Amino acid sequence: MELNRVVITGIGVISAIGNNLDDFWNNLVNGVSGADHITQYDASKFKTQIACEVKGFDIAQFIDKKDARKMDRFTHFGIASSDMALADAGLDKNNINPDRVGVIVGSGIGGVQTFQQEVSDFAKGDGTPRFTPFFIPRMICDICAGQISIRHNLRGPNFAVMSACATSTNAIMEAYNLLRLNKADVILAGGSESTINEAGMGGFVSMKALSERNDDPKTASRPYDKDRDGFVMGEGCGILVMETLKSALARGARIYCEVAGAGATADAYHITAPHPDGLGAKNVMRAALEDAEMAPEDIDYINTHGTSTPLGDGAEVKAILSVFGEHAYKLNISSTKSMTGHCLGAAGVIEAIAAIKSVAHDIVPPTINHFTDDPDIDPKLNFTFNKAQYRTVRAALSNTFGFGGHNACVIVKKYVA
Amino acid sequence: MSDIATRVKKIIVDKLGVDEAEVTTEASFTNDLGADSLDTVELIMEFEKEFNISIPDEQAETITTVGQAVTYLEEHAK
């Protein structure tokens, strides 16, 4: 059986630097930080008081209050992003075959706000269990995929994948594989996350994972800088309309780019720390290149996981040098987490969107907030520091790594008929 | 309208997202106000919280209209 080619025909995104694709991309290219002081709860007793929060988002622009109340914020983001992605792809109920459209949307943590609220209400009471019947269906990680399917009557394959911060890269890979195998014509793939609350932030603070640069939020996320001190929590959602090439051509769809290949591996080393030599990262990039039948020289841009943590950034760079050899110095590399923050389960797809747009427009978005070189990071590498760079981007690779040691990688390339 | 009826109506408007005018005495939660099975469970729970009582399941199953809820609560509210 010949495998289908798979292309990207629609994008929807919500992030701290824009609640639609145009704003997101313009801010990404212009190096705008989405970080600021936390507004969603009183963080004054937390060591970290900053995050990349989504601003000015109103779910009432998409669905009515009654339905919105039954969903956690991460699902609100998913509903809005999938509406925008379908519109961007020119798909609606008049040209969709519902049985051939799937949804694979994950979340790293799911409805932690819902969980916190219900459990703390219970703890404050007299022991009588009065959990809302919407507790579980608001909280579970897969509910976003379910709600999107109900809203748009999409009856193809439907599930969430979950691999912490690699979640939505794995979702893209699953969608790619199902489309290649002709199990659907179109799949909405991505991830959504909203964990900026006491429980979500408190847990990460205890792990010493987060930047504590509270006096200067906009420069706190500084991947590859000598003085990086942890990641800045982000929130948001990205949804891709992934489609078989034959379906896209049949309906004359606009094509952003083609999915070239994907890979997934594990470190099998530690629950939160990356393998010091970037073993899993090396293997996953090699796996994706092999899947794409591409040589390292075919890649022009790597959107790294690059969270701005002391250990993680260095390990990934070692892996890039090992896989790409001399070609590593011809690559553009950037971590767009310097602007979006780390959106956990939504990080992979939001960064895949950066890679897709980069291939579509031949612009590489920057790694902002570079002040001081890290002596342990090879200075000959081009991290696209502080300013976007214009170059031909034939193909781009996006890495994501998750707690648990999950590594996932996807490669996109220019579509050539 | 009794105080209890006003409070019941407010909960229904809030939880089901319906207009106040629709919440008539005869209105059925499921047939007229668009509630599904989970909405109905949540309504009963909200009545329990608001009036600080416990409504047994077999009683809850008989409360299907606004009027039935008001009558039950007028008899049982503390």
Side-chain angles (χ1 to χ4, degrees):
Chain A
M1 178 186 142
E2 198 179 327
L3 295 177
N4 287 323
R5 291 170 71 182
V6 177
V7 292
I8 307 291
T9 57
I11 301 173
V13 62
I14 287 178
S15 80
I17 58 167
N19 294 345
N20 60 66
L21 181 60
D22 286 344
D23 289 352
F24 167 79
W25 178 243
N26 287 335
N27 286 328
L28 207 66
V29 169
N30 290 320
V32 175
S33 165
D36 213 328
H37 297 282
I38 288 170
T39 63
Q40 290 179 68
Y41 71 100
D42 176 6
S44 58
K45 288 187 179 161
F46 286 63
K47 279 186 185 155
T48 293
Q49 299 166 4
I50 56 174
C52 287
E53 292 183 310
V54 168
K55 300 154 197 85
F57 173 74
D58 182 10
I59 187 61
Q61 290 176 353
F62 297 89
I63 51 173
D64 68 37
K65 198 177 133 202
K66 177 176 180 283
D67 292 329
R69 210 177 52 77
K70 297 176 184 175
M71 301 173 192
D72 191 273
R73 181 170 165 91
F74 88 99
T75 302
H76 290 168
F77 291 163
I79 290 285
S81 300
S82 54
D83 275 20
M84 292 189 285
L86 284 169
D88 188 49
L91 285 169
D92 59 41
K93 61 180 188 302
N94 299 312
N95 61 0
I96 280 178
N97 173 359
D99 293 319
R100 294 287 297 170
V101 184
V103 183
I104 305 176
V105 174
S107 180
I109 299 186
V112 66
Q113 175 62 44
T114 295
F115 185 82
Q116 174 180 302
Q117 185 69 50
E118 289 293 317
V119 171
S120 55
D121 283 355
F122 174 71
K124 280 181 218 150
D126 64 2
T128 308
R130 287 199 173 114
F131 294 94
T132 164
F134 299 107
F135 175 26
I136 302 298
R138 268 208 301 251
M139 179 188 72
I140 50 181
C141 282
D142 59 291
I143 200 65
C144 191
Q147 291 280 17
I148 292 167
S149 75
I150 293 164
R151 176 161 173 76
H152 297 287
N153 189 34
L154 311 176
R155 301 192 298 245
N158 189 291
F159 54 92
V161 296
M162 210 243 233
S163 51
C165 307
T167 290
S168 49
T169 307
N170 280 115
I172 292 167
M173 181 169 162
E174 289 307 307
Y176 177 49
N177 286 334
L178 288 176
L179 290 164
R180 281 202 279 193
L181 293 169
N182 208 40
K183 306 294 183 190
D185 296 331
V186 174
I187 296 181
L188 274 64
S192 190
E193 202 79 90
S194 175
T195 61
I196 303 175
N197 55 52
E198 292 86 338
M201 293 294 288
F204 281 100
V205 167
S206 299
M207 279 191 281
K208 299 273 178 197
L210 297 177
S211 169
E212 295 175 11
R213 202 178 294 277
N214 296 321
D215 57 344
D216 193 6
K218 300 227 178 287
T219 74
S221 184
R222 50 175 83 187
Y224 312 112
D225 189 273
K226 178 173 167 289
D227 299 319
R228 64 187 184 274
D229 73 329
F231 76 80
V232 174
M233 183 67 78
E235 62 174 350
C237 177
I239 302 285
L240 301 178
V241 177
M242 298 176 66
E243 186 164 1
T244 63
L245 178 61
K246 62 185 178 191
S247 166
L249 291 177
R251 67 184 186 87
R254 176 268 328 270
I255 294 171
Y256 282 108
C257 67
E258 180 168 0
V259 182
T265 66
D267 275 8
Y269 172 71
H270 186 268
I271 51 170
T272 57
H275 190 283
D277 297 326
L279 178 66
K282 260 186 261 188
N283 289 342
V284 82
M285 286 188 274
R286 287 195 177 119
L289 285 167
E290 188 184 330
D291 186 45
E293 298 177 346
M294 291 171 94
E297 292 72 25
D298 297 326
I299 303 293
D300 288 325
Y301 168 44
I302 297 181
N303 187 303
T304 57
H305 189 57
T307 56
S308 184
T309 54
L311 284 180
D313 291 8
E316 187 178 11
V317 169
K318 276 188 201 166
I320 289 170
L321 282 165
S322 163
V323 172
F324 287 85
E326 277 304 305
H327 183 67
Y329 301 106
K330 294 181 186 155
L331 292 166
N332 269 81
I333 299 168
S334 74
S335 168
T336 44
K337 286 190 181 76
S338 56
M339 296 170 274
T340 62
H342 186 359
C343 299
L344 308 182
V349 64
I350 288 175
E351 288 153 29
I353 292 169
I356 290 162
K357 291 285 278 182
S358 177
V359 167
H361 302 297
D362 291 325
I363 305 172
V364 177
T367 307
I368 66 164
N369 294 327
H370 186 70
F371 303 97
T372 312
D373 286 343
D374 178 343
D376 292 331
I377 288 181
D378 190 336
K380 297 200 301 294
L381 291 169
N382 178 4
F383 288 100
T384 324
F385 281 134
N386 297 334
K387 209 168 180 320
Q389 291 178 13
Y390 294 76
R391 67 170 290 172
T392 300
V393 183
R394 295 165 299 158
L397 176 154
S398 174
N399 278 334
T400 46
F401 314 133
F403 285 166
H406 323 287
N407 309 292
C409 177
V410 62
I411 299 172
V412 291
K413 64 182 181 185
K414 283 199 197 297
Y415 165 66
V416 181
Chain B
M1 194 185 294
S2 73
D3 166 57
I4 284 177
T6 309
R7 285 155 71 192
V8 166
K9 206 165 170 175
K10 186 170 174 301
I11 288 170
I12 294 167
V13 167
D14 180 44
K15 294 295 169 191
L16 300 184
V18 290
D19 283 339
E20 215 176 313
E22 294 174 71
V23 190
T24 59
T25 307
E26 300 77 29
S28 150
F29 299 140
T30 51
N31 298 333
D32 302 315
L33 302 177
D36 63 18
S37 58
L38 296 180
D39 289 313
T40 313
V41 174
E42 191 182 43
L43 275 183
I44 297 294
M45 198 171 290
E46 290 300 318
F47 297 149
E48 290 183 332
K49 280 193 219 169
E50 174 73 18
F51 298 101
N52 192 28
I53 58 168
S54 184
I55 305 175
D57 282 354
E58 55 275 20
Q59 299 281 332
E61 281 160 19
T62 67
I63 303 173
T64 63
T65 69
V66 177
Q68 286 165 353
V70 172
T71 306
Y72 182 88
L73 292 163
E74 280 173 345
E75 285 168 15
H76 294 86
K78 288 169 188 167

